Amino acid sequence: MAAQAKYVVIDPARGQSALRTTNRKLTLAPRNRHDWADDDDLEETTQSELPPPQKISNKDGSTTVIEYRYNEDGKKVKTTRRIRLITHRETVSPRVAERKQWAKFGASAKDGQGPAPDTTSVGENIIFRPSTNWRKDAKDETNDPNAQAMKDKLKDKKVKCRICNGEHFTARCPYKDTMAPIGEAGAAGDVAAGMPDEGPAGAPAAGGAGAGKKGSYVPPALRGGAGAGAGERMGGAGGKYGERDDLATLRVTNVSEMAEENELRDMFERFGRVTRVFLAKDRDTGLAKGFAFISFADRSDAVKACQKMDGYGFKHLILRVEFAKKAA
Amino acid sequence: MRPILLSGHERALTQVKYNADGDLIFSTAKDQIICAWFSHNGERLGTYAGHVGAIWTVDVDPTTTLLASGSADNTIKLWDVKSGKCLMTWEFPTAVKRVEFNEDGTKLLGVTEKRMGHLGTIVVLDIKVDVNAQQNEEKAMTIVCEESKATVAGWSYLSKYIIAGHEDGSVSQYDAKTGDQLANYSIHELNTPVTDLQWAPDRTYFITASKDKTAKIITANDLEVLKTFVADTPLNSATITPKKDFVILGGGQAAMDVTRTSARQGKFEARFYHKIFEEEIGRVRGHFGPLNTVAADPTGKGYCSGGEDGYVRVHHFDKGYFDFMYEVERERANRLRQEAEQAQKQEQKQQQ
């Protein structure tokens, strides 16, 4: 003879679901961590202006339960849950069936039927699929395509100093004290945008300056290689857009912290049409970082400006102007 | 699969155990309470209160009538599974680290700690599998472990041997009737304690877990090491899954290092190995502390693990688990099925 035990689980694919328990039912916590056990307490303590809970049966057999409650701030909260009940019938031995009817005792003596929410909860779904090469599978997971693309780009990239572009770390640079570090943000943007800069000395292409730091979050626009970052780097000095601009782009260093982009534009517009002014600014403080790029429409204007403006005093500092080095 | 989290304990779990039918789970922790749970939905049946020390171990007799527990309060207690009443208490000079019923539930062994001048012992108690019976207060037998204390012990098939794992990494075999030591072999690396010993369903072989990062399957008859499973972390527990030829290992960085390691590095995952091929086939994450104990459902439908984090996680396997087979296993299954079909056809022909 076999007795039948009945219990209920929820279709995990539905995700957002909770379940009022009756006899021996499995309760799944809803995704918003709302505990139905708290409902009753709250309803008792707050004035009952709440609309009555609604139950709507959906066509696909699930039920939508809409409940109202007050949260800690006294605000009315509407909770909508979609519940699907699936009854699993399982044949168990009479011994097991008998045990299912046992009265609870000890610390659980006062618990109602079904799992008590304070001792039993349901964890997040775990995908467990035994596999002979699970180790390889797991590794593939960690190497998301983004990180992989990054690695490929950095594969043949060597250590490069931000001051002199030599093959050492910036901290070890012999010119550390004599030269100001340049293009910090530019170099970072470089890496993020995947524009290797192998130039022997000088200008980092400041295309996506300040776009991101090494190894950090890369915005979608910059993912997947140089071509994709067009929006961010439009008119920049790098990538395929760089050809024209590089020839007519000046790098201005030793710019005052207080400088503004339009001030620079005014200064350089005297020599010809300026197509772009980029002033590197600190993301947090908003102060200028001390370098800027000025692109001219015409290279001859740029040559003129370079000659005239190098050594020009601007806000108590002497500007240094040179041609930006082309990104490799 | 969605694991069911049982949070009935406030401190680290020490042992979890299924009953013979796999419908109940008993869990012990260092918080002095034993909990009984329904395995299918995680509902708590009750608690067994009475110990006044950390509880190290629990076992249930094959008929799910009696529950035995061993505690750091130097006692073994016998409980009525159904009501939670304490039926009997045996006192010992030191803490009890492991209890186990034999196959018919008439004998109970207990492993006592070596402390305060007392040597570690394995005691055997006679049990009457009846809630109302007066239990025998006297110990039926005491085995003294003079060399290295026993950390775990269990009954072999037919209660023929008592097998014990020791603190120095050795495993020994005792005659269960006389208590004589029949064999003692260094199985695990020297001075790495054996942390768990669990039996195959027929009790002819068992699996040991050790801090030396390996688990081994050993025969009960001559303590021959059949299989070795190598992990990358100290192991606290190992169990053999029925129905499928897998073993589950649990371990992780020692508890005192937990705060210095992330969950990923800590390797707080249950590791599944193929029992025959000794290859790791998957991991189940979830705990945020080392796994102190794992137990497989005797029906083969799931397993549960208890962690240093105070949670018991009960898992019911998905279809993918049952479908998984090695290529050779699948071929063999196919061949056997074909042979069976042919045999059937021949039989039918003969009948005609």
Side-chain angles (χ1 to χ4, degrees):
Chain A
M1 191 202 100
Q4 284 201 315
K6 195 169 99 179
Y7 64 96
V8 177
V9 297
I10 282 169
D11 180 5
R14 294 269 158 195
Q16 16 118 347
S17 48
L19 174 63
R20 284 195 182 263
T21 54
T22 55
N23 189 21
R24 309 278 187 259
K25 279 180 183 171
L26 178 69
T27 307
L28 294 181
R31 193 168 269 179
N32 59 7
R33 290 276 155 221
H34 163 251
D35 196 343
W36 63 263
D38 297 338
D39 275 354
D40 299 337
D41 300 343
L42 284 164
E43 275 158 20
E44 279 164 20
T45 53
T46 52
Q47 56 279 60
S48 56
E49 286 165 31
L50 293 167
Q54 282 180 285
K55 268 195 181 177
I56 304 157
S57 298
N58 298 329
K59 272 182 203 157
D60 60 353
S62 62
T63 314
T64 304
V65 179
I66 303 171
E67 286 171 322
Y68 300 88
R69 66 185 175 93
Y70 288 105
N71 66 5
E72 294 107 3
D73 307 332
K75 285 179 184 155
K76 200 151 69 175
V77 178
K78 179 182 173 188
T79 311
T80 308
R81 287 177 293 171
R82 213 156 127 213
I83 296 168
R84 175 189 292 267
L85 300 177
I86 301 167
T87 308
H88 282 257
R89 276 181 196 283
E90 203 176 314
T91 309
V92 295
S93 76
R95 294 189 303 277
V96 174
E98 192 223 315
R99 283 199 281 270
K100 283 186 201 294
Q101 305 307 320
W102 280 2
K104 293 185 180 183
F105 56 89
S108 284
K110 286 180 189 141
D111 291 354
Q113 287 177 327
D118 58 332
T119 55
T120 308
S121 55
V122 177
E124 58 182 299
N125 197 20
I126 291 174
I127 295 158
F128 174 58
R129 241 166 215 295
S131 143
T132 46
N133 50 358
W134 77 273
R135 223 179 267 275
K136 214 179 86 210
D137 296 347
K139 211 183 265 176
D140 289 347
E141 239 169 64
T142 58
N143 282 358
D144 59 301
N146 193 17
Q148 195 58 46
M150 188 78 131
K151 252 185 205 162
D152 288 345
K153 273 174 218 150
L154 295 174
K155 202 159 57 186
D156 39 35
K157 197 156 174 92
K158 289 180 190 119
V159 172
K160 195 184 75 182
C161 170
R162 285 198 307 274
I163 295 170
C164 67
N165 276 7
E167 282 191 8
H168 50 247
F169 290 109
T170 307
R172 302 246 172 90
C173 181
Y175 307 111
K176 191 165 67 171
D177 299 325
T178 51
M179 285 169 82
I182 38 148
E184 205 177 306
D190 233 351
V191 174
M195 300 184 297
D197 183 1
E198 310 282 43
K213 291 189 182 99
K214 273 178 207 174
S216 66
Y217 170 77
V218 180
L222 293 181
R223 283 179 202 158
E232 190 74 9
R233 297 202 312 277
M234 271 298 230
K240 55 187 173 185
Y241 302 94
E243 288 302 299
R244 182 194 62 219
D245 290 338
D246 268 342
L247 299 170
T249 298
L250 297 176
R251 185 175 65 145
V252 184
T253 49
N254 207 23
V255 181
S256 165
E257 274 189 346
M258 320 301 281
E260 294 289 340
E261 251 177 29
N262 51 4
E263 290 174 322
L264 288 171
R265 184 178 282 272
D266 287 347
M267 270 159 40
F268 284 88
E269 225 143 29
R270 282 181 275 170
F271 305 98
R273 201 164 76 79
V274 173
T275 55
R276 184 187 73 123
V277 174
F278 172 78
L279 177 67
K281 279 183 180 157
D282 191 290
R283 205 187 302 186
D284 296 326
T285 62
L287 293 174
K289 276 192 168 176
F291 70 95
F293 291 93
I294 317 284
S295 300
F296 282 88
D298 196 341
R299 181 167 163 87
S300 60
D301 293 340
V303 174
K304 226 189 307 170
C306 182
Q307 282 164 358
K308 295 279 183 193
M309 292 303 286
D310 195 15
Y312 183 83
F314 174 58
K315 297 214 172 181
H316 308 293
L317 291 175
I318 294 168
L319 294 184
R320 182 174 153 77
V321 182
E322 59 202 339
F323 272 91
K325 288 288 187 305
K326 201 173 109 181
Chain B
M1 57 186 175
R2 272 181 183 273
I4 303 172
L5 274 68
L6 312 181
S7 46
H9 294 288
E10 285 161 6
R11 291 198 57 202
L13 270 288
T14 50
Q15 194 170 20
V16 289
K17 201 110 189 181
Y18 278 92
N19 70 341
D21 294 313
D23 64 322
L24 290 179
I25 296 170
F26 298 94
S27 62
T28 56
K30 293 178 183 170
D31 65 358
Q32 315 185 355
I33 284 176
I34 308 165
C35 291
W37 313 83
F38 286 104
S39 65
H40 72 98
N41 65 353
E43 186 176 352
R44 186 160 74 176
L45 171 64
T47 58
Y48 306 82
H51 276 297
V52 288
I55 304 171
W56 290 112
T57 172
V58 68
D59 197 18
V60 61
D61 87 307
T63 59
T64 320
T65 315
L66 299 173
L67 188 75
S69 62
S71 159
D73 63 6
N74 302 350
T75 60
I76 290 178
K77 281 181 188 284
L78 197 70
W79 311 84
D80 176 12
V81 172
K82 185 177 178 178
S83 69
K85 276 204 275 293
C86 180
L87 303 173
M88 183 73 195
T89 303
W90 289 271
E91 294 213 13
F92 297 93
T94 56
V96 180
K97 296 302 286 277
R98 181 59 71 118
V99 291
E100 192 175 295
F101 281 103
N102 68 348
E103 269 180 312
D104 57 2
T106 55
K107 281 182 194 303
L108 178 73
L109 69 74
V111 177
T112 66
E113 184 74 278
K114 174 183 178 181
R115 193 166 291 156
M116 296 180 294
H118 295 282
L119 285 170
T121 62
I122 301 169
V123 295
V124 176
L125 304 164
D126 283 325
I127 302 289
K128 298 186 191 80
V129 190
D130 181 3
V131 174
N132 301 315
Q134 179 66 38
Q135 301 291 342
N136 193 349
E137 267 183 58
E138 296 302 312
K139 292 167 213 161
M141 186 172 69
T142 304
I143 301 166
V144 180
C145 305
E146 275 166 6
E147 272 182 29
S148 175
K149 75 170 186 198
T151 50
V152 290
W155 298 93
S156 79
Y157 64 96
L158 304 176
S159 308
K160 194 172 178 190
Y161 307 113
I162 290 173
I163 307 289
H166 295 269
E167 199 184 23
D168 64 357
S170 66
V171 173
S172 50
Q173 183 190 51
Y174 298 93
D175 187 313
K177 296 227 164 56
T178 62
D180 296 334
Q181 191 177 62
L182 306 173
N184 178 292
Y185 299 119
S186 301
I187 301 271
H188 287 282
E189 229 168 80
L190 195 64
N191 293 329
T192 53
V194 179
T195 47
D196 200 10
L197 187 159
Q198 294 197 31
W199 291 93
D202 63 1
R203 288 185 188 245
T204 55
Y205 62 95
F206 56 94
I207 187 165
T208 59
S210 166
K211 290 285 184 193
D212 73 354
K213 305 184 181 178
T214 62
K216 290 174 197 251
I217 284 187
I218 303 165
T219 58
N221 260 347
D222 38 18
L223 299 190
E224 184 195 346
V225 178
L226 298 177
K227 300 286 173 191
T228 302
F229 308 95
V230 182
D232 54 358
T233 183
L235 295 177
N236 295 329
S237 190
T239 188
I240 299 167
T241 59
K243 297 276 190 292
K244 298 292 283 183
D245 283 334
F246 301 150
V247 298
I248 309 171
L249 314 184
Q253 218 98 34
M256 57 182 166
D257 296 330
V258 164
T259 51
R260 291 187 271 138
T261 40
S262 77
R264 185 83 202 159
Q265 282 176 324
K267 307 181 175 107
F268 310 137
E269 293 157 317
R271 296 121 197 284
F272 284 71
Y273 284 70
H274 197 278
K275 188 168 78 180
I276 313 296
F277 301 115
E278 302 173 306
E279 259 181 350
E280 191 166 354
I281 51 167
R283 288 188 184 179
V284 174
R285 68 192 156 72
H287 282 286
F288 43 92
L291 275 74
N292 286 343
T293 170
V294 291
D297 186 336
T299 60
K301 285 179 195 155
Y303 83 99
C304 66
S305 55
E308 187 74 19
D309 57 11
Y311 282 98
V312 178
R313 296 174 74 96
V314 184
H315 306 76
H316 297 276
F317 294 125
D318 289 333
K319 192 166 171 292
Y321 169 88
F322 298 102
D323 287 349
F324 172 74
M325 269 192 223
Y326 271 73
E327 203 51 51
V328 283
E329 289 180 302
R330 185 164 295 124
E331 279 167 15
R332 181 168 171 269
N334 286 343
R335 205 175 57 234
L336 289 176
R337 204 180 54 226
Q338 280 168 2
E339 280 170 12
E341 277 169 15
Q342 278 174 356
Q344 233 173 16
K345 273 180 197 166
Q346 278 179 349
E347 238 172 69
Q348 282 173 352
K349 269 184 195 168
Q350 280 173 356
Q351 279 175 0
Q352 282 170 357

